[in-house]
Amino acid sequence: MRPKRLVDAVLFDTFGTVVDWRTGVSQAVSEFSGDVDPNEFALAWRGRYQPSMAPVRNGERPFVDLDVLHRENLEATAAEFGLSLGSADPSDVDWLNRAWHRLPPWPDSVAGLTELKRHFIVGPLSNGHTALLTNMAKHAGLPWDVILGSDLLGTYKPDPRAYLGAAEILRLPPERVMLCAAHNIDLAAAQEAGLRTAFIPRPAEYGPAQRQDLHATGSWDVIAQDITDLATQLREHVVG
């Protein structure tokens, strides 16, 4: 009897797990303005990310995509740092807001995904929308089989509908889908929804001051060093 793989699809949290948002956004901020610390600005902008999605998840606000939320968060962060967006060329502000479309991959991402793609369906399960994730993939060379944007799912993680909706789109039972993430909270929600889980650490995601997600804190199906190691472990992990 042919051995059975642990799962059929391996989906990925993207910001921080597959791409290095802090470096990419900091670079864009530094090109936009020399009046603020680009790293601190990037961290503050990202800090508004989860709170801005909460009203959508709890039904207080209709679904809007991440470009809208990022723009609102950009304006709030700019005000916090005393950076005037009103005096800038609108096209330059739009370019800055779309920095999240142009993020660099971690060194292992492309090679690891390419190896995984040989045996599994691979794609993002991200709060980014389809156009953002497509642009990101073209920029970073990410070899996805499928792109499941939040605009297709109509909600944001960790809403269980995001995880279950992705499995439904792929016509797979939840247990045949794995989420790989560098964030334990994301994996806990995926596991609760019935998905398999894999953790990889990204200790440089938030820079030297990072204190969370330095290691796995849950009973995940796989704990890997990076995406390449995940590909090796999954290739060797068979059931039945």
Side-chain angles (χ1 to χ4, degrees), residues 134-172:
T134 301
N135 292 335
M136 180 192 294
K138 295 297 287 185
H139 177 82
L142 305 175
W144 301 128
D145 288 309
V146 61
I147 292 177
L148 303 175
S150 58
D151 50 327
L152 299 179
L153 302 169
T155 190
Y156 289 116
K157 298 182 301 176
D159 186 328
R161 292 174 296 173
Y163 308 102
L164 294 173
E168 183 178 356
I169 288 173
L170 294 175
R171 299 296 189 265
L172 290 172

Side-chain angles (χ1 to χ4, degrees), residues 104-154:
W106 293 110
D108 59 279
S109 292
V110 174
L113 291 173
T114 300
E115 179 59 27
L116 274 170
K117 185 183 172 79
R118 295 177 57 199
H119 306 283
F120 306 95
I121 298 166
V122 294
L125 175 45
S126 169
N127 288 329
H129 57 82
T130 302
L132 183 157
L133 294 169
T134 301
N135 292 335
M136 180 192 294
K138 295 297 287 185
H139 177 82
L142 305 175
W144 301 128
D145 288 309
V146 61
I147 292 177
L148 303 175
S150 58
D151 50 327
L152 299 179
L153 302 169

